[in-house]
Amino acid sequence: MKKKIAIHWFRFDLRVSDNPSLNYLSKNYDNIVGIYIFDDINSDPKLGSASKVWLHASLDYLNKQLNGNLIFLKGDAKGCFDQLMDSFDVEEISWNRSYEPWIVKRDKSLKMYLKSKVNVNSFNGSLLWEPWEVLKNDGTPYKVFTPYYRKGCLNSEMPRTPIQKPKLENLLFDKMNSISIDDLELMPEHNWHVAMEKLWTPGEKGAHNKIDVFIKEGLANYKDGRNFPSGNNVSQLSPHLHFGEVSPNQVWYRSKTQEGKKEIKRDLDHFLSELGWREFSFNLLYHFPTLPKENLQKKFDKFPWDKNKDALKKWQKGLTGYPIVDAGMRELWQTGYMHNRLRMVVGSFLVKNLLLHWHHGERWFWDCLVDADLANNSAGWQWIAGSGADAAPYFRIFNPVMQGQKFDPDGKYTKKYIPELKDMPNKYLFNPWEAPKDILDSANVKLGKDYPMPIVEIGSSRQKALEAFATTKS
Ligand code: FAD
């Protein structure tokens, strides 16, 4: 006789605490099966390389939390459920909702199909406010961040408080249904990821450790300090939030425990508003599902992008000759992460100095970031390119020399990733091509050999970008 069970489908909620779907099933069923489906058939875009490495480690951790009871499946989700329903007497299937366009489409048809056979339920486990909960008075979605967050979110019902970890002794395991985690084939063939892996601790415990460290060491002075990449004011929670190893509700209420400390009020407010930016990106992605592929402002469709493959390669490899840009790109390659200030600097450089389409940047980030997130990445790139709903004005073009001097004044961050410039005096660190020969000699730098000459000139490329932008207005 088949066992009667309920299924919790883990997706972007790789945790057991504050997991609304898992919690609901644990209250209503004696036997729950936890599954993960690597649906590489329907996914669009396909998972990036760094994300796969993270996912592998995170699933491994979750499986251990569940005493090895997590069932791994691969392929089309509908086929996987058919297989499960053949083996078990399934009473209910439940999950936490996702907002990526391909998942919304798949889940809609899957839900209809499954509902004809079993009970189906879904919950909000990834957002503070779901996209349909925060709308303008006329029922349309917000397109500008400040009113979205201040007027919309903060005047809505406050996010639900986190739920405790359920009792999980009910989880069954039937080896017949599960492939091994290695069969998901998430790990790369070459060992490029080894250094990156050492820097992170994927999984629920690693996520909570990050919050603790951030609250202790980063939150005070977050508002100003978050701009300086060599400081420790940012939380680095983004990959943990993306994979749902921690919920935004847990981060929101955990940081709010500091509310009594008046001296950090502005820092706390600012940190919460960054979580608000995450919500805003999901709001945009849900209401404007073409966000990852199409300019939100249609006038950008006419933009005369350049097609210089060589320049793109140099940008990807951190060989543009602009040390702050190259440091950011090398941080990304080596760690799977890039500080937000640098994401803006390298993004502006790609789109506005090299005149390369933001899609190229978005794709490269997608492959390299451990926090690659369809909502945040697409919204971030459209913001940088000026083509987004509430975007940086196109004429705001970051000057990479000034950005370096302002946000890495002691050169610590830049020298960490560009060791060939470690002996350059700070005066010329961000513009080595302007350094006199004796300074270059004493820093052991031969430009063009040890470190490249700039691939574009800042002033003229800026002018070219402004002229290109002017053509979109006609
Ligand atoms: P903290 O400063 O500690 O912020 C806490 C959390 O708030 C973050 O973990 C993140 O979830 C959220 N957050 C912070 N800033 C933003 C923002 N600008 N937009 C949306 N959410 C934000 N973020 C991703 O998570 N995935 C991406 O793929 C991604 N791609 C980006 C691409 C570009 C071109 C740009 C400009 C930004 C991108 N961001 C992305 C947003 C932001 O850079 C990162 O969320 C942030 O740097 C993560 O570091 P942190 O966790 O230390 O941030």
Side-chain angles (χ1 to χ4, degrees), residues 214 222 226 233-239 241-242 271 274-275 277-278 281 337-340 343-344 347 365 369 371-374 376-378 380-381 383-384:
F214 173 68
Y222 174 79
R226 66 185 284 275
N233 283 103
V234 292
S235 69
Q236 294 200 325
L237 277 166
S238 48
L241 276 164
H242 169 73
F271 180 67
E274 291 303 328
L275 294 177
W277 272 100
R278 178 176 178 274
S281 299
Y337 174 87
M338 193 194 293
H339 187 278
N340 182 60
R343 294 188 204 209
M344 296 194 291
F365 271 30
L369 280 171
D371 66 20
D373 181 279
L374 200 60
N376 282 346
N377 198 32
S378 321
W381 277 101
W383 186 88
I384 285 291

Side-chain angles (χ1 to χ4, degrees), residues 7 34 38 40 84 125 170 222 224 266 311 348 355 378 398 414 432 439 468:
I7 295 178
F38 181 48
D40 55 348
L84 286 164
N170 299 340
Y222 174 79
D224 300 326
R266 63 196 282 276
S348 170
L355 279 192
S378 321
F398 286 103
T414 302
I439 302 255

Side-chain angles (χ1 to χ4, degrees), residues 89-161:
D89 187 357
V90 182
E91 291 190 64
E92 179 150 4
I93 299 171
S94 165
W95 61 78
N96 294 310
R97 288 185 282 276
S98 306
Y99 311 87
E100 288 73 4
W102 72 270
I103 303 186
V104 171
K105 189 169 159 234
R106 180 199 62 188
D107 287 356
K108 249 189 201 156
S109 73
L110 193 60
K111 208 170 191 175
M112 271 195 3
Y113 172 71
L114 295 174
K115 267 188 167 170
S116 65
K117 299 174 181 286
V118 297
N119 292 325
V120 182
N121 230 319
S122 69
F123 296 82
N124 171 15
S126 301
L127 292 179
L128 298 168
W129 295 276
E130 289 191 294
W132 49 88
E133 289 175 341
V134 179
L135 296 169
K136 290 195 282 189
N137 288 341
D138 64 2
T140 60
Y142 283 97
K143 290 186 182 172
V144 179
F145 173 72
T146 305
Y148 164 80
Y149 181 64
R150 303 263 162 225
K151 229 172 122 189
C153 299
L154 296 184
N155 281 325
S156 299
E157 208 175 302
M158 278 296 102
R160 65 163 173 77
T161 51

Side-chain angles (χ1 to χ4, degrees), residues 363-374:
R363 290 289 85 206
W364 185 250
F365 271 30
W366 181 259
D367 200 37
C368 297
L369 280 171
V370 285
D371 66 20
D373 181 279
L374 200 60

Side-chain angles (χ1 to χ4, degrees), residues 397-426:
I397 300 178
F398 286 103
N399 177 315
V401 177
M402 284 158 71
Q403 287 287 311
Q405 289 163 341
K406 190 165 175 196
F407 295 111
D408 189 26
D410 57 9
K412 208 168 138 194
Y413 173 82
T414 302
K415 288 182 178 177
K416 179 174 173 190
Y417 291 104
I418 319 279
E420 52 275 42
L421 298 181
K422 71 178 183 347
D423 296 321
M424 274 301 274
N426 281 356

